[in-house]
Amino acid sequence: MPVDLSNGKPLAWDSAKLDADTKAMLDNLQPNILQAHVRESMSLLLVHFGDGPDGRRFLRSLVPLMKSARKHLEEVRDFNRTKKSGTPYVGVGISKIGYLKVGHSPTRFTDNAFKSGMKRRKDTLSDPAVGAWEEHYQEEIHAIVLIGDATPEPVAATRERVLALLPKTAKVVGEEKGEGLRDAQGRGIEHFGYVDGRSQPLFLADQVAAESGTNWDPFFPLSHVLVPDPLAPHPARHFGSYLVLRKLEQNVRAFREAEEALADALGLKGDDRPLAGAMLVGRFRNGTPLRLHGKPSSEGHPVQNDFSYRDDPGARCPVGAHIRKANPRDSRDGGLERALGVMMARRGQTYGGRTDRPWDDAPATTRPAGGVGLLFMAFNSSLQSQFEFTQQTWADNPDFPAGGTGHDPVIGQGRRDVKVRYPKAWDSAKLSAPQRQVPQTVTMKGGEYFFMPSLAYLKSL
């Protein structure tokens, strides 16, 4: 029987009762989709094919370097039991023009954003003109090869193996390198200094059991991230996912200056000054959610994620804070994210080196104004109703969830004419005078949409 992607229960992938079709799905699904693969070190190769048949042969030749989702999950289980390291991650995505180049029509794909390509969606997303993108993103990108592991050495070795397979008619038009950024406690952070990567949709039974709480249920069905691979031998058993890639440069200096200016405007003093940044992000730098606490939890406390916004009109966490705009959970102001099916499986990585400590209180003038940022990557079952909806309807919309909310302070794009108000103190109904929105400190430098096909499709080329 066909795999039921809408099953209301998390997938027990290692169950002895798993049916043959679900086993086939896991054996032909790429890793890093259902569960994040370790990718502290990453290389992203953006590839252009000069010859279609050569492109097909190259894609097929990558299969021996890849592993299935099932193999990845087995490696994770073994590591948790014995600390035995797994093998490097190799993932392959193909763009709409890439499918055309290798001689396969993309008409059977149902996502119009994918079939348009990111360059043609720039107005929808309020992106910069394509001519302002980094040069390699302005070219035709037919495929992406993602390589990741815990340390740089296996990534470099695998990268050389991939490049050795590249035909003379193909070229790497660009390469991105990602390196994990961590604070003093070893938690993953982004370049503004805040703990990142929380609030992920979870699909597997063991993940859900470890994360579930009373206020936030992280479980989402497989239909949230997987779609049948329309060009695979058996689409009812062979699945893939749509990948969005965006290079987002962060002006850390300007963001820290905005934090300081807001703290001054709200009259915050001493230990209360970090509240300004938390009002922009929705969490303190160490990950403490503003919905639950008005001050950072003590170091060593686990990052809390079991909360909703149901009973907070904005007195604790402003409705315009980044994590609330991008993930309103089940708040009355957000329109029930679970029903909308919007949340993405985010798999990004930071890029750019730092000589300072991103999490400390050093002056803004010591921070980088560019050259660092996020390689945003996320898997979707629908680019339009997940990624594009989040960016256009929530992040870039100054009237979501209500008039005067303003743009998402972190990822919002567009003119920031609307003035916003903040609680004068944590858990206070009294609001500040209208404030100018913080300036846009994240700049999109280029990107593309890809489909991560099944291994069965790649083998059939």
Side-chain angles (χ1 to χ4, degrees):
M1 61 182 293
V3 178
D4 181 10
L5 297 184
S6 300
N7 191 313
K9 295 181 180 180
L11 177 63
W13 66 271
D14 55 352
S15 170
K17 299 179 180 180
L18 208 62
D19 64 87
D21 285 327
T22 303
K23 291 179 181 177
M25 180 269 287
L26 290 171
D27 286 336
N28 286 280
L29 183 68
Q30 294 194 44
N32 199 38
I33 298 173
L34 297 184
Q35 175 160 325
H37 196 287
V38 60
R39 56 199 189 285
E40 283 293 292
S41 180
M42 289 200 78
S43 174
L44 280 59
L45 303 175
L46 306 175
V47 182
H48 175 95
F49 300 132
D51 178 79
D54 279 352
R56 289 197 300 273
R57 283 189 285 271
F58 170 70
L59 292 171
R60 185 176 65 241
S61 72
L62 293 173
V63 174
L65 301 181
M66 303 173 70
K67 58 189 168 189
S68 68
R70 180 202 288 274
K71 176 63 175 175
H72 172 219
L73 295 174
E74 290 173 346
E75 289 183 351
V76 171
R77 180 182 60 193
D78 290 345
F79 178 80
N80 290 336
R81 291 175 176 175
T82 68
K83 300 305 178 183
K84 177 185 176 183
S85 297
T87 56
Y89 164 55
V90 177
V92 173
I94 307 172
S95 68
K96 175 247 185 162
I97 57 176
Y99 277 104
L100 289 171
K101 189 66 179 181
V102 300
H104 289 170
S105 172
T107 55
R108 281 189 273 177
F109 290 94
T110 58
D111 191 280
N112 287 330
F114 171 73
K115 292 193 287 186
S116 296
M118 192 176 291
K119 293 181 180 71
R120 295 176 61 185
R121 307 294 286 186
K122 67 177 183 62
D123 293 335
T124 298
L125 300 170
S126 300
D127 283 340
V130 174
W133 295 10
E134 292 185 353
E135 288 186 7
H136 52 279
Y137 287 109
Q138 297 181 40
E139 298 202 35
E140 281 194 355
I141 300 171
H142 295 145
I144 183 171
V145 181
L146 304 100
I147 307 165
D149 210 334
T151 58
E153 291 78 14
V155 172
T158 305
R159 175 183 178 276
E160 291 304 312
R161 296 180 68 185
V162 170
L163 293 178
L165 297 170
L166 196 69
K168 293 180 179 179
T169 57
K171 62 178 180 179
V172 175
V173 298
E175 180 177 8
E176 303 290 358
K177 291 185 178 293
E179 293 292 338
L181 193 64
R182 294 187 175 273
D183 65 13
Q185 284 69 42
R187 296 170 295 214
I189 60 174
E190 48 71 52
H191 278 285
F192 291 150
Y194 289 78
V195 167
D196 197 21
R198 300 296 295 142
S199 304
Q200 295 275 16
L202 303 181
F203 312 101
L204 306 178
D206 50 352
Q207 293 179 319
V208 172
E211 180 81 8
S212 290
T214 57
N215 295 296
W216 169 245
D217 180 3
F219 165 66
F220 285 77
L222 296 177
S223 59
H224 198 76
V225 74
L226 299 183
V227 294
D229 182 346
L231 300 178
H234 302 289
R237 299 196 305 171
H238 301 152
F239 292 82
S241 186
Y242 293 104
L243 171 71
V244 52
L245 164 68
R246 288 164 74 80
K247 185 174 185 178
L248 304 177
E249 184 179 54
Q250 294 175 252
N251 186 335
V252 182
R253 184 180 305 168
F255 188 81
R256 285 297 180 92
E257 289 172 347
E259 289 178 315
E260 294 299 321
L262 180 58
D264 291 341
L266 298 178
L268 299 174
K269 307 290 185 182
D271 291 344
D272 290 329
R273 289 182 70 80
L275 182 60
M279 287 186 179
L280 299 175
V281 175
R283 293 183 185 270
F284 290 92
R285 286 180 203 156
N286 73 351
T288 303
L290 200 54
R291 171 65 180 89
L292 299 180
H293 303 285
K295 291 184 180 293
S297 298
S298 59
E299 296 299 343
H301 193 283
V303 176
Q304 297 163 291
N305 199 45
D306 183 21
F307 62 92
S308 76
Y309 298 114
R310 278 191 302 271
D311 302 316
D312 180 19
R316 292 187 168 191
C317 181
V319 294
H322 165 59
I323 68 168
R324 188 163 182 171
K325 286 272 280 189
N327 177 13
R329 301 190 179 219
D330 54 355
S331 59
R332 293 167 182 164
D333 57 40
L336 295 176
E337 174 158 349
R338 185 168 303 280
L340 289 170
V342 174
M343 201 171 183
M344 297 166 279
R346 307 186 312 282
R347 303 291 187 256
Q349 185 55 284
T350 50
Y351 74 88
R354 299 283 291 268
T355 57
D356 60 338
R357 298 193 299 175
W359 59 88
D360 69 15
D361 293 320
T365 54
T366 66
R367 305 302 186 180
V372 301
L374 177 69
L375 300 171
F376 176 83
M377 292 173 277
F379 292 110
N380 306 247
S381 61
S382 169
L383 291 165
Q384 283 184 285
S385 64
Q386 290 174 273
F387 167 67
E388 290 197 344
F389 181 91
T390 300
Q391 188 68 47
Q392 179 187 37
T393 307
W394 287 350
D396 295 346
N397 181 3
D399 294 324
F400 172 78
T405 299
H407 290 70
D408 184 311
V410 178
I411 62 170
Q413 300 187 126
R415 291 176 57 89
R416 301 193 175 197
D417 298 327
V418 173
K419 291 189 175 183
V420 297
R421 305 175 76 183
Y422 300 90
K424 283 192 170 183
W426 185 72
D427 205 15
S428 171
K430 295 182 179 180
L431 299 178
S432 69
Q435 306 288 325
R436 287 183 176 274
Q437 293 187 60
V438 297
Q440 184 174 325
T441 56
V442 173
T443 302
M444 188 270 197
K445 307 296 285 185
E448 187 54 281
Y449 292 141
F450 301 93
F451 185 72
M452 305 292 285
S454 64
L455 297 176
Y457 167 79
L458 294 174
K459 292 174 184 176
S460 74
L461 290 173

